[in-house]
Amino acid sequence: SEMCIRDRDYITLQQMRLGKKLHVLINVPEELHECYMIRLALQPLVENAVIHALGERDDGYIKVSAEEENGELLLSVTDNGCGMPEALVEAINAGDARRGGGNLGIYNVDSIIKLHFGASYGLKASSTPGEGSRVCIHLPMNRREADA
């Protein structure tokens, strides 16, 4: 399906909790709806955006999107929060989110992806202080039902 039901439920719950403070856009092209993805992989990324990135903003924005790029499935969570510390961005990109002060969920998602698909896959992050962050999940393009 276009997104694991539990990932979508988490986003819906956060929207209900935060009301007009949080706007969420989900952009998943129809041709990517049946791609393999690790269950609950997006939840820690959205949680990180809601809790740590948006902070006290009254106009929080999160975009969850999927695209095909160079034969890979790219899932991304982008926010308009205060940005992530540079050390955390570097740690995520180095494959050790815990070292940079990241949460265990993000570290676990990256570890599970690398374990299943190899070291060239996993999480990549970028951030601009005061403007927001983007964390991407890189997966192999595989159009079958997920069992993981």
Side-chain angles (χ1 to χ4, degrees):
S1 60
E2 79 179 72
M3 183 185 300
C4 176
I5 295 299
R6 280 173 272 179
D7 282 318
R8 187 177 283 279
D9 285 349
Y10 177 79
I11 293 169
T12 300
L13 284 171
Q14 291 303 322
Q15 284 183 286
M16 289 172 62
R17 185 175 71 86
L18 295 168
K20 293 181 179 178
K21 288 182 68 172
L22 177 65
H23 302 279
V24 179
L25 173 65
I26 298 175
N27 179 22
V28 180
E30 191 168 341
E31 64 268 20
L32 301 180
H33 283 195
E34 296 304 322
C35 289
Y36 180 97
M37 93 175 247
I38 302 289
R39 286 188 183 149
L40 291 176
L42 286 169
Q43 188 267 334
L45 277 60
V46 173
E47 178 183 36
N48 195 61
V50 170
I51 295 173
H52 302 294
L54 297 178
E56 298 301 314
R57 292 187 71 115
D58 288 326
D59 60 346
Y61 171 85
I62 294 174
K63 179 181 179 182
V64 180
S65 60
E67 60 186 305
E68 184 174 359
E69 184 178 284
N70 300 323
E72 290 186 3
L73 175 62
L74 221 63
L75 303 167
S76 63
V77 177
T78 305
D79 66 67
N80 67 338
C82 60
M84 290 188 290
E86 187 176 341
L88 177 55
V89 173
E90 290 176 0
I92 289 171
N93 291 336
D96 188 8
R98 286 193 297 192
R99 178 174 54 80
N103 67 35
L104 186 59
I106 287 179
Y107 175 81
N108 286 343
V109 168
D110 192 50
S111 299
I112 289 167
I113 291 169
K114 284 177 168 50
L115 181 67
H116 274 77
F117 305 114
S120 63
Y121 297 102
L123 302 184
K124 294 295 177 191
S126 60
S127 185
T128 303
E131 293 183 18
S133 303
R134 182 178 190 228
V135 181
C136 295
I137 302 173
H138 293 253
L139 294 169
M141 182 58 67
N142 193 342
R143 287 180 169 87
R144 64 181 177 81
E145 283 300 311
D147 295 321

PDB file of all heavy atoms in Angstrom, residues 33-61:
ATOM      1  N   HIS A  33       2.988   3.113  -5.143  1.00  0.00           N
ATOM      2  CA  HIS A  33       2.151   2.641  -4.042  1.00  0.00           C
ATOM      3  C   HIS A  33       2.470   1.216  -3.619  1.00  0.00           C
ATOM      4  O   HIS A  33       2.280   0.858  -2.457  1.00  0.00           O
ATOM      5  CB  HIS A  33       0.666   2.736  -4.406  1.00  0.00           C
ATOM      6  CG  HIS A  33       0.125   4.124  -4.312  1.00  0.00           C
ATOM      7  ND1 HIS A  33      -1.212   4.397  -4.306  1.00  0.00           N
ATOM      8  CD2 HIS A  33       0.744   5.329  -4.229  1.00  0.00           C
ATOM      9  CE1 HIS A  33      -1.403   5.707  -4.215  1.00  0.00           C
ATOM     10  NE2 HIS A  33      -0.237   6.289  -4.177  1.00  0.00           N
ATOM     11  N   GLU A  34       2.915   0.378  -4.512  1.00  0.00           N
ATOM     12  CA  GLU A  34       3.148  -1.029  -4.172  1.00  0.00           C
ATOM     13  C   GLU A  34       4.621  -1.351  -3.935  1.00  0.00           C
ATOM     14  O   GLU A  34       5.008  -2.507  -3.950  1.00  0.00           O
ATOM     15  CB  GLU A  34       2.588  -1.937  -5.270  1.00  0.00           C
ATOM     16  CG  GLU A  34       1.071  -1.843  -5.421  1.00  0.00           C
ATOM     17  CD  GLU A  34       0.314  -2.125  -4.124  1.00  0.00           C
ATOM     18  OE1 GLU A  34       0.741  -3.008  -3.365  1.00  0.00           O
ATOM     19  OE2 GLU A  34      -0.697  -1.454  -3.861  1.00  0.00           O
ATOM     20  N   CYS A  35       5.439  -0.334  -3.723  1.00  0.00           N
ATOM     21  CA  CYS A  35       6.861  -0.584  -3.482  1.00  0.00           C
ATOM     22  C   CYS A  35       7.091  -1.143  -2.086  1.00  0.00           C
ATOM     23  O   CYS A  35       6.407  -0.791  -1.129  1.00  0.00           O
ATOM     24  CB  CYS A  35       7.667   0.698  -3.654  1.00  0.00           C
ATOM     25  SG  CYS A  35       7.777   1.226  -5.354  1.00  0.00           S
ATOM     26  N   TYR A  36       8.089  -1.997  -2.001  1.00  0.00           N
ATOM     27  CA  TYR A  36       8.486  -2.578  -0.720  1.00  0.00           C
ATOM     28  C   TYR A  36       9.002  -1.484   0.198  1.00  0.00           C
ATOM     29  O   TYR A  36       9.785  -0.640  -0.211  1.00  0.00           O
ATOM     30  CB  TYR A  36       9.596  -3.599  -0.972  1.00  0.00           C
ATOM     31  CG  TYR A  36      10.106  -4.281   0.272  1.00  0.00           C
ATOM     32  CD1 TYR A  36       9.629  -5.534   0.637  1.00  0.00           C
ATOM     33  CD2 TYR A  36      11.063  -3.687   1.077  1.00  0.00           C
ATOM     34  CE1 TYR A  36      10.100  -6.169   1.773  1.00  0.00           C
ATOM     35  CE2 TYR A  36      11.534  -4.311   2.211  1.00  0.00           C
ATOM     36  CZ  TYR A  36      11.049  -5.560   2.560  1.00  0.00           C
ATOM     37  OH  TYR A  36      11.508  -6.172   3.692  1.00  0.00           O
ATOM     38  N   MET A  37       8.552  -1.505   1.440  1.00  0.00           N
ATOM     39  CA  MET A  37       9.136  -0.612   2.435  1.00  0.00           C
ATOM     40  C   MET A  37       9.079  -1.266   3.806  1.00  0.00           C
ATOM     41  O   MET A  37       8.229  -2.107   4.069  1.00  0.00           O
ATOM     42  CB  MET A  37       8.456   0.751   2.403  1.00  0.00           C
ATOM     43  CG  MET A  37       7.305   0.970   3.326  1.00  0.00           C
ATOM     44  SD  MET A  37       6.702   2.666   3.259  1.00  0.00           S
ATOM     45  CE  MET A  37       7.142   3.209   4.880  1.00  0.00           C
ATOM     46  N   ILE A  38      10.017  -0.924   4.643  1.00  0.00           N
ATOM     47  CA  ILE A  38      10.072  -1.457   5.998  1.00  0.00           C
ATOM     48  C   ILE A  38       8.929  -0.856   6.806  1.00  0.00           C
ATOM     49  O   ILE A  38       8.752   0.362   6.844  1.00  0.00           O
ATOM     50  CB  ILE A  38      11.424  -1.097   6.666  1.00  0.00           C
ATOM     51  CG1 ILE A  38      12.595  -1.638   5.846  1.00  0.00           C
ATOM     52  CG2 ILE A  38      11.477  -1.598   8.093  1.00  0.00           C
ATOM     53  CD1 ILE A  38      12.755  -3.122   5.869  1.00  0.00           C
ATOM     54  N   ARG A  39       8.154  -1.694   7.465  1.00  0.00           N
ATOM     55  CA  ARG A  39       7.036  -1.190   8.263  1.00  0.00           C
ATOM     56  C   ARG A  39       7.526  -0.297   9.389  1.00  0.00           C
ATOM     57  O   ARG A  39       8.531  -0.576  10.030  1.00  0.00           O
ATOM     58  CB  ARG A  39       6.241  -2.361   8.847  1.00  0.00           C
ATOM     59  CG  ARG A  39       5.417  -3.050   7.785  1.00  0.00           C
ATOM     60  CD  ARG A  39       4.484  -4.066   8.380  1.00  0.00           C
ATOM     61  NE  ARG A  39       3.779  -4.738   7.297  1.00  0.00           N
ATOM     62  CZ  ARG A  39       3.371  -5.982   7.354  1.00  0.00           C
ATOM     63  NH1 ARG A  39       3.575  -6.696   8.433  1.00  0.00           N
ATOM     64  NH2 ARG A  39       2.737  -6.518   6.333  1.00  0.00           N
ATOM     65  N   LEU A  40       6.796   0.763   9.613  1.00  0.00           N
ATOM     66  CA  LEU A  40       7.063   1.750  10.656  1.00  0.00           C
ATOM     67  C   LEU A  40       8.387   2.487  10.463  1.00  0.00           C
ATOM     68  O   LEU A  40       8.899   3.097  11.390  1.00  0.00           O
ATOM     69  CB  LEU A  40       7.016   1.106  12.058  1.00  0.00           C
ATOM     70  CG  LEU A  40       5.625   0.674  12.502  1.00  0.00           C
ATOM     71  CD1 LEU A  40       5.682  -0.034  13.846  1.00  0.00           C
ATOM     72  CD2 LEU A  40       4.692   1.873  12.591  1.00  0.00           C
ATOM     73  N   ALA A  41       8.939   2.468   9.252  1.00  0.00           N
ATOM     74  CA  ALA A  41      10.192   3.182   8.998  1.00  0.00           C
ATOM     75  C   ALA A  41       9.998   4.696   9.059  1.00  0.00           C
ATOM     76  O   ALA A  41      10.889   5.428   9.491  1.00  0.00           O
ATOM     77  CB  ALA A  41      10.763   2.774   7.642  1.00  0.00           C
ATOM     78  N   LEU A  42       8.831   5.175   8.638  1.00  0.00           N
ATOM     79  CA  LEU A  42       8.602   6.617   8.607  1.00  0.00           C
ATOM     80  C   LEU A  42       8.255   7.195   9.978  1.00  0.00           C
ATOM     81  O   LEU A  42       8.509   8.363  10.243  1.00  0.00           O
ATOM     82  CB  LEU A  42       7.475   6.950   7.624  1.00  0.00           C
ATOM     83  CG  LEU A  42       7.842   6.837   6.144  1.00  0.00           C
ATOM     84  CD1 LEU A  42       6.588   6.926   5.296  1.00  0.00           C
ATOM     85  CD2 LEU A  42       8.832   7.921   5.753  1.00  0.00           C
ATOM     86  N   GLN A  43       7.684   6.391  10.840  1.00  0.00           N
ATOM     87  CA  GLN A  43       7.192   6.903  12.120  1.00  0.00           C
ATOM     88  C   GLN A  43       8.273   7.627  12.932  1.00  0.00           C
ATOM     89  O   GLN A  43       8.040   8.751  13.395  1.00  0.00           O
ATOM     90  CB  GLN A  43       6.543   5.774  12.931  1.00  0.00           C
ATOM     91  CG  GLN A  43       5.828   6.247  14.181  1.00  0.00           C
ATOM     92  CD  GLN A  43       6.724   6.197  15.417  1.00  0.00           C
ATOM     93  OE1 GLN A  43       7.653   5.412  15.466  1.00  0.00           O
ATOM     94  NE2 GLN A  43       6.442   7.038  16.377  1.00  0.00           N
ATOM     95  N   PRO A  44       9.481   7.059  13.109  1.00  0.00           N
ATOM     96  CA  PRO A  44      10.495   7.793  13.883  1.00  0.00           C
ATOM     97  C   PRO A  44      10.933   9.094  13.221  1.00  0.00           C
ATOM     98  O   PRO A  44      11.268  10.057  13.909  1.00  0.00           O
ATOM     99  CB  PRO A  44      11.671   6.805  13.967  1.00  0.00           C
ATOM    100  CG  PRO A  44      11.078   5.472  13.704  1.00  0.00           C
ATOM    101  CD  PRO A  44       9.952   5.715  12.748  1.00  0.00           C
ATOM    102  N   LEU A  45      10.910   9.143  11.885  1.00  0.00           N
ATOM    103  CA  LEU A  45      11.299  10.364  11.193  1.00  0.00           C
ATOM    104  C   LEU A  45      10.255  11.453  11.386  1.00  0.00           C
ATOM    105  O   LEU A  45      10.585  12.620  11.632  1.00  0.00           O
ATOM    106  CB  LEU A  45      11.502  10.087   9.700  1.00  0.00           C
ATOM    107  CG  LEU A  45      12.848   9.517   9.281  1.00  0.00           C
ATOM    108  CD1 LEU A  45      13.139   8.177   9.933  1.00  0.00           C
ATOM    109  CD2 LEU A  45      12.929   9.402   7.774  1.00  0.00           C
ATOM    110  N   VAL A  46       8.968  11.068  11.296  1.00  0.00           N
ATOM    111  CA  VAL A  46       7.893  12.030  11.529  1.00  0.00           C
ATOM    112  C   VAL A  46       7.898  12.468  12.987  1.00  0.00           C
ATOM    113  O   VAL A  46       7.754  13.660  13.299  1.00  0.00           O
ATOM    114  CB  VAL A  46       6.527  11.440  11.126  1.00  0.00           C
ATOM    115  CG1 VAL A  46       5.390  12.378  11.528  1.00  0.00           C
ATOM    116  CG2 VAL A  46       6.487  11.156   9.632  1.00  0.00           C
ATOM    117  N   GLU A  47       8.092  11.515  13.894  1.00  0.00           N
ATOM    118  CA  GLU A  47       8.154  11.843  15.323  1.00  0.00           C
ATOM    119  C   GLU A  47       9.265  12.848  15.593  1.00  0.00           C
ATOM    120  O   GLU A  47       9.084  13.821  16.324  1.00  0.00           O
ATOM    121  CB  GLU A  47       8.386  10.566  16.133  1.00  0.00           C
ATOM    122  CG  GLU A  47       8.520  10.806  17.619  1.00  0.00           C
ATOM    123  CD  GLU A  47       8.814   9.524  18.378  1.00  0.00           C
ATOM    124  OE1 GLU A  47       9.540   8.658  17.854  1.00  0.00           O
ATOM    125  OE2 GLU A  47       8.320   9.400  19.505  1.00  0.00           O
ATOM    126  N   ASN A  48      10.424  12.626  14.996  1.00  0.00           N
ATOM    127  CA  ASN A  48      11.547  13.532  15.180  1.00  0.00           C
ATOM    128  C   ASN A  48      11.196  14.933  14.673  1.00  0.00           C
ATOM    129  O   ASN A  48      11.499  15.933  15.319  1.00  0.00           O
ATOM    130  CB  ASN A  48      12.774  12.995  14.434  1.00  0.00           C
ATOM    131  CG  ASN A  48      14.046  13.678  14.858  1.00  0.00           C
ATOM    132  OD1 ASN A  48      14.448  13.622  16.005  1.00  0.00           O
ATOM    133  ND2 ASN A  48      14.689  14.346  13.913  1.00  0.00           N
ATOM    134  N   ALA A  49      10.525  15.001  13.528  1.00  0.00           N
ATOM    135  CA  ALA A  49      10.127  16.296  12.981  1.00  0.00           C
ATOM    136  C   ALA A  49       9.122  16.995  13.891  1.00  0.00           C
ATOM    137  O   ALA A  49       9.236  18.192  14.153  1.00  0.00           O
ATOM    138  CB  ALA A  49       9.546  16.123  11.578  1.00  0.00           C
ATOM    139  N   VAL A  50       8.143  16.249  14.382  1.00  0.00           N
ATOM    140  CA  VAL A  50       7.108  16.843  15.238  1.00  0.00           C
ATOM    141  C   VAL A  50       7.689  17.327  16.562  1.00  0.00           C
ATOM    142  O   VAL A  50       7.492  18.474  16.974  1.00  0.00           O
ATOM    143  CB  VAL A  50       5.960  15.836  15.505  1.00  0.00           C
ATOM    144  CG1 VAL A  50       5.023  16.350  16.589  1.00  0.00           C
ATOM    145  CG2 VAL A  50       5.190  15.562  14.224  1.00  0.00           C
ATOM    146  N   ILE A  51       8.444  16.462  17.225  1.00  0.00           N
ATOM    147  CA  ILE A  51       8.908  16.777  18.582  1.00  0.00           C
ATOM    148  C   ILE A  51      10.088  17.738  18.597  1.00  0.00           C
ATOM    149  O   ILE A  51      10.096  18.727  19.318  1.00  0.00           O
ATOM    150  CB  ILE A  51       9.283  15.482  19.331  1.00  0.00           C
ATOM    151  CG1 ILE A  51       8.043  14.624  19.540  1.00  0.00           C
ATOM    152  CG2 ILE A  51       9.954  15.797  20.664  1.00  0.00           C
ATOM    153  CD1 ILE A  51       8.317  13.258  20.111  1.00  0.00           C
ATOM    154  N   HIS A  52      11.084  17.431  17.782  1.00  0.00           N
ATOM    155  CA  HIS A  52      12.340  18.171  17.872  1.00  0.00           C
ATOM    156  C   HIS A  52      12.447  19.312  16.881  1.00  0.00           C
ATOM    157  O   HIS A  52      13.067  20.330  17.169  1.00  0.00           O
ATOM    158  CB  HIS A  52      13.516  17.211  17.686  1.00  0.00           C
ATOM    159  CG  HIS A  52      13.529  16.102  18.688  1.00  0.00           C
ATOM    160  ND1 HIS A  52      13.727  16.326  20.027  1.00  0.00           N
ATOM    161  CD2 HIS A  52      13.343  14.776  18.550  1.00  0.00           C
ATOM    162  CE1 HIS A  52      13.666  15.166  20.677  1.00  0.00           C
ATOM    163  NE2 HIS A  52      13.426  14.213  19.800  1.00  0.00           N
ATOM    164  N   ALA A  53      11.856  19.180  15.718  1.00  0.00           N
ATOM    165  CA  ALA A  53      12.042  20.201  14.692  1.00  0.00           C
ATOM    166  C   ALA A  53      11.021  21.325  14.780  1.00  0.00           C
ATOM    167  O   ALA A  53      11.362  22.491  14.643  1.00  0.00           O
ATOM    168  CB  ALA A  53      12.001  19.558  13.312  1.00  0.00           C
ATOM    169  N   LEU A  54       9.757  20.984  15.006  1.00  0.00           N
ATOM    170  CA  LEU A  54       8.724  22.016  14.972  1.00  0.00           C
ATOM    171  C   LEU A  54       8.685  22.850  16.243  1.00  0.00           C
ATOM    172  O   LEU A  54       8.365  24.023  16.209  1.00  0.00           O
ATOM    173  CB  LEU A  54       7.359  21.386  14.698  1.00  0.00           C
ATOM    174  CG  LEU A  54       7.252  20.686  13.340  1.00  0.00           C
ATOM    175  CD1 LEU A  54       5.876  20.058  13.195  1.00  0.00           C
ATOM    176  CD2 LEU A  54       7.524  21.635  12.195  1.00  0.00           C
ATOM    177  N   GLY A  55       8.994  22.222  17.374  1.00  0.00           N
ATOM    178  CA  GLY A  55       9.064  22.973  18.617  1.00  0.00           C
ATOM    179  C   GLY A  55       7.784  23.716  18.922  1.00  0.00           C
ATOM    180  O   GLY A  55       6.704  23.160  18.906  1.00  0.00           O
ATOM    181  N   GLU A  56       7.924  24.992  19.159  1.00  0.00           N
ATOM    182  CA  GLU A  56       6.783  25.820  19.573  1.00  0.00           C
ATOM    183  C   GLU A  56       6.115  26.539  18.403  1.00  0.00           C
ATOM    184  O   GLU A  56       5.308  27.440  18.610  1.00  0.00           O
ATOM    185  CB  GLU A  56       7.242  26.850  20.613  1.00  0.00           C
ATOM    186  CG  GLU A  56       7.795  26.239  21.891  1.00  0.00           C
ATOM    187  CD  GLU A  56       6.781  25.350  22.589  1.00  0.00           C
ATOM    188  OE1 GLU A  56       5.621  25.758  22.733  1.00  0.00           O
ATOM    189  OE2 GLU A  56       7.166  24.231  22.972  1.00  0.00           O
ATOM    190  N   ARG A  57       6.444  26.169  17.195  1.00  0.00           N
ATOM    191  CA  ARG A  57       5.860  26.845  16.025  1.00  0.00           C
ATOM    192  C   ARG A  57       4.341  26.675  15.998  1.00  0.00           C
ATOM    193  O   ARG A  57       3.813  25.664  16.416  1.00  0.00           O
ATOM    194  CB  ARG A  57       6.434  26.271  14.732  1.00  0.00           C
ATOM    195  CG  ARG A  57       7.889  26.571  14.500  1.00  0.00           C
ATOM    196  CD  ARG A  57       8.282  26.107  13.122  1.00  0.00           C
ATOM    197  NE  ARG A  57       7.679  26.973  12.123  1.00  0.00           N
ATOM    198  CZ  ARG A  57       8.377  27.752  11.309  1.00  0.00           C
ATOM    199  NH1 ARG A  57       9.683  27.762  11.353  1.00  0.00           N
ATOM    200  NH2 ARG A  57       7.768  28.508  10.423  1.00  0.00           N
ATOM    201  N   ASP A  58       3.672  27.682  15.462  1.00  0.00           N
ATOM    202  CA  ASP A  58       2.228  27.590  15.265  1.00  0.00           C
ATOM    203  C   ASP A  58       1.886  27.269  13.816  1.00  0.00           C
ATOM    204  O   ASP A  58       0.706  27.177  13.466  1.00  0.00           O
ATOM    205  CB  ASP A  58       1.543  28.904  15.665  1.00  0.00           C
ATOM    206  CG  ASP A  58       1.544  29.078  17.174  1.00  0.00           C
ATOM    207  OD1 ASP A  58       1.434  28.065  17.885  1.00  0.00           O
ATOM    208  OD2 ASP A  58       1.662  30.233  17.633  1.00  0.00           O
ATOM    209  N   ASP A  59       2.911  27.155  12.970  1.00  0.00           N
ATOM    210  CA  ASP A  59       2.679  26.896  11.551  1.00  0.00           C
ATOM    211  C   ASP A  59       3.570  25.735  11.090  1.00  0.00           C
ATOM    212  O   ASP A  59       4.248  25.819  10.081  1.00  0.00           O
ATOM    213  CB  ASP A  59       2.949  28.156  10.719  1.00  0.00           C
ATOM    214  CG  ASP A  59       4.389  28.652  10.861  1.00  0.00           C
ATOM    215  OD1 ASP A  59       5.097  28.207  11.787  1.00  0.00           O
ATOM    216  OD2 ASP A  59       4.812  29.475  10.032  1.00  0.00           O
ATOM    217  N   GLY A  60       3.569  24.664  11.865  1.00  0.00           N
ATOM    218  CA  GLY A  60       4.395  23.513  11.539  1.00  0.00           C
ATOM    219  C   GLY A  60       3.963  22.851  10.244  1.00  0.00           C
ATOM    220  O   GLY A  60       2.772  22.737   9.952  1.00  0.00           O
ATOM    221  N   TYR A  61       4.953  22.441   9.474  1.00  0.00           N
ATOM    222  CA  TYR A  61       4.694  21.836   8.175  1.00  0.00           C
ATOM    223  C   TYR A  61       5.580  20.611   8.013  1.00  0.00           C
ATOM    224  O   TYR A  61       6.798  20.673   8.226  1.00  0.00           O
ATOM    225  CB  TYR A  61       5.004  22.856   7.076  1.00  0.00           C
ATOM    226  CG  TYR A  61       4.989  22.299   5.668  1.00  0.00           C
ATOM    227  CD1 TYR A  61       3.803  22.198   4.960  1.00  0.00           C
ATOM    228  CD2 TYR A  61       6.168  21.879   5.059  1.00  0.00           C
ATOM    229  CE1 TYR A  61       3.783  21.703   3.669  1.00  0.00           C
ATOM    230  CE2 TYR A  61       6.154  21.382   3.765  1.00  0.00           C
ATOM    231  CZ  TYR A  61       4.971  21.297   3.072  1.00  0.00           C
ATOM    232  OH  TYR A  61       4.957  20.793   1.804  1.00  0.00           O
TER     233      TYR A  61
END
